[in-house]
Amino acid sequence: MKPLEGVRILDLSRVLACPFATMLLAEMGAEVIKVEQPGAGDETRSFEPFFDFGVSGYYLACNRAKRSITVDMRKEGGRQVIRDLAARADVLVENFPTGALKRRGLDYASLKSVNPRLVYLSCTGFGQTGPYAKRKGYDTVFQAMGGLMGLTGERGGGPVKPGLPVADLTSGLWVAIGLLAALRGRDATGQGAHVDFSMLDGQVALLTIAAARLFALGEVPPRLGTEHPGRVPTASFRCRDGRFLHITASDQHWAPLCNALDLRDLLADPALATNAGRLAQRDRVMAAMTAAMEAMTRAEAVTALDAVDVPNGPVLALDEVVADPHVQARGCIAMVPHGEATHPALRLPFRFDGFDDPVPAPAPVLGADTDGVLTELGYDTARIAALREESAI
């Protein structure tokens, strides 16, 4: 048994943040019914890259383990299908623009009347309230407005976005957390809830230690590349062979680090024994570290630092990550069937003792489950045919 078995989720979302969230919950056992537009489906079905069997890798990465039905919510027949599904669901997730589903009679207030236990989550860029509520946005907009981009980049350089759509992916994690919390509350009270999640709010909530520096000292942390604003030495260094090694050292690692890299002058200076002292002389410490690392290959540096338990890690390219022996040993990647083909996919990072572990399951073919889901709702073949004639499914 998986931990979320018995939870039914009606997923009206598309693209990345919420589909990622519902996939996480699906692979932990929830039944997720993904509602897609007839004929086209989730926009990501057309996004590159494509596997050689013709399916979008983008779509497969965020929609495994779901059932797909096609419903046109612009038609009354389609809207009634959604009402009937919501009446039997534990959770509804949507990421339509603010107010769009209210105009169709599918907002929380409308569906609460058919299912008082429904947990209904609305994910929008800026939330249901506030001066930006009607604005549109994408991942990089929220990175920019939420402070992440302003904190990221090399010294003296301009803002840089991370290599992943961090605002989308972390929003997916926030959505999953919010849904699980609301379900726990529903189980305690018997009443559902509306969860208003803003992607901008999600990015602001991640500022944590950067915001703490502002609140405590009135300072905006500068862009420092891979360096840490409050800990020295922490950074990625180029080695003699051109490869990079990232090192994170605290006070207890300082002497072993200096011994491993033969930094005797730094070790002999009592002013550098504490992080506060090293922060005050950041440039001196980093210059000495840079010179020492440039004289060693990455393998030599890893061997020397591992021998004295100084935290370090090679900066790996993506293909090196998936081939890493520890990643392989932990089973982070699995082969997943899709029709007659198979494709690699990333596993969820949970291993349960007492429940079945999440294992990637196939993503659905567009609309493959429409008739089955409607039959489970009690629709007969004539009613299903009438909906199809109306182009509502």
Side-chain angles (χ1 to χ4, degrees):
M1 179 178 178
K2 294 183 179 180
L4 295 180
E5 282 188 19
V7 174
R8 181 179 288 120
I9 299 173
L10 181 57
D11 184 3
L12 307 187
S13 69
R14 34 304 162 239
V15 190
L16 181 50
C18 289
F20 179 59
T22 54
M23 183 187 74
L24 302 181
L25 302 178
E27 292 198 338
M28 288 189 283
E31 177 192 0
V32 176
I33 299 173
K34 182 177 178 67
V35 177
E36 303 188 67
Q37 185 68 19
D42 189 315
E43 295 94 316
T44 59
R45 287 186 181 272
S46 66
F47 286 8
E48 293 184 345
F50 290 90
F51 281 97
D52 56 10
F53 49 88
V55 180
S56 166
Y58 196 121
Y59 181 85
L60 295 179
C62 300
N63 289 285
R64 299 189 304 267
K66 303 178 184 180
R67 306 172 77 187
S68 170
I69 69 170
T70 53
V71 178
D72 190 339
M73 288 181 280
R74 296 170 298 184
K75 307 288 179 63
E76 176 52 33
R79 292 192 290 272
Q80 188 56 50
V81 169
I82 299 301
R83 294 185 193 102
D84 291 341
L85 288 168
R88 298 179 51 175
D90 296 290
V91 170
L92 185 150
V93 179
E94 60 94 1
N95 62 351
F96 282 78
T98 301
L101 290 185
K102 183 176 183 179
R103 292 191 292 272
R104 296 175 182 174
L106 299 176
D107 58 320
Y108 175 64
S110 300
L111 295 183
K112 182 180 179 181
S113 63
V114 302
N115 183 358
R117 289 175 55 82
L118 182 66
V119 170
Y120 185 118
L121 185 141
S122 298
C123 170
T124 56
F126 297 95
Q128 303 295 309
T129 61
Y132 302 158
K134 299 295 185 181
R135 289 181 63 171
K136 306 293 193 300
Y138 290 101
D139 170 85
T140 49
V141 171
F142 307 122
Q143 288 190 38
M145 295 182 68
L148 175 61
M149 202 178 289
L151 292 167
T152 306
E154 295 296 333
R155 285 194 191 207
V160 173
K161 75 176 186 66
L164 288 170
V166 174
D168 278 332
L169 294 173
T170 56
S171 289
L173 298 178
W174 284 125
V175 167
I177 292 168
L179 288 174
L180 293 174
L183 279 172
R184 175 65 184 89
R186 191 277 307 270
D187 290 345
T189 66
Q191 292 297 310
H194 182 228
V195 183
D196 170 13
F197 172 72
S198 153
M199 293 179 69
L200 179 62
D201 292 359
Q203 291 309 289
V204 172
L206 290 174
L207 292 174
T208 55
I209 55 174
R213 192 170 192 86
L214 176 66
F215 298 155
L217 303 176
E219 294 179 4
V220 176
R223 287 188 285 275
L224 292 171
T226 61
E227 294 184 47
H228 193 285
R231 181 182 296 165
V232 175
T234 292
S236 297
F237 298 90
R238 184 187 292 272
C239 298
R240 189 177 76 221
D241 53 9
R243 295 189 290 178
F244 284 85
L245 182 69
H246 189 82
I247 299 173
T248 298
S250 298
D251 286 349
Q252 71 268 30
H253 305 121
W254 177 241
L257 173 70
C258 289
N259 286 322
L261 300 183
D262 197 23
L263 300 174
R264 295 172 184 169
D265 290 346
L266 298 186
L267 183 58
D269 187 345
L272 300 179
T274 65
N275 187 64
R278 296 191 296 276
L279 275 171
Q281 298 190 56
R282 177 192 292 271
D283 289 346
R284 175 190 172 197
V285 172
M286 295 303 293
M289 287 280 296
T290 297
M293 295 298 292
E294 287 177 343
M296 306 174 74
T297 66
R298 190 171 74 181
E300 290 170 346
V302 169
T303 299
L305 295 172
D306 280 353
V308 292
D309 290 328
V310 172
N312 72 90
V315 179
L316 299 179
L318 183 57
D319 57 345
E320 294 177 301
V321 174
V322 298
D324 183 87
H326 187 80
V327 171
Q328 291 286 329
R330 290 288 296 170
C332 296
I333 300 159
M335 295 302 295
V336 183
H338 191 86
E340 297 298 317
T342 60
H343 66 92
L346 304 178
R347 287 186 61 184
L348 269 61
F350 306 114
R351 303 295 179 265
F352 293 107
D353 182 2
F355 294 107
D356 292 338
D357 287 336
V359 177
V365 173
L366 177 62
D369 303 292
T370 303
D371 286 12
V373 169
L374 294 182
T375 299
E376 292 167 11
L377 282 177
Y379 288 28
D380 59 24
T381 54
R383 187 173 180 186
I384 294 173
L387 288 168
R388 194 160 274 122
E389 180 68 23
E390 183 193 348
S391 299
I393 60 172

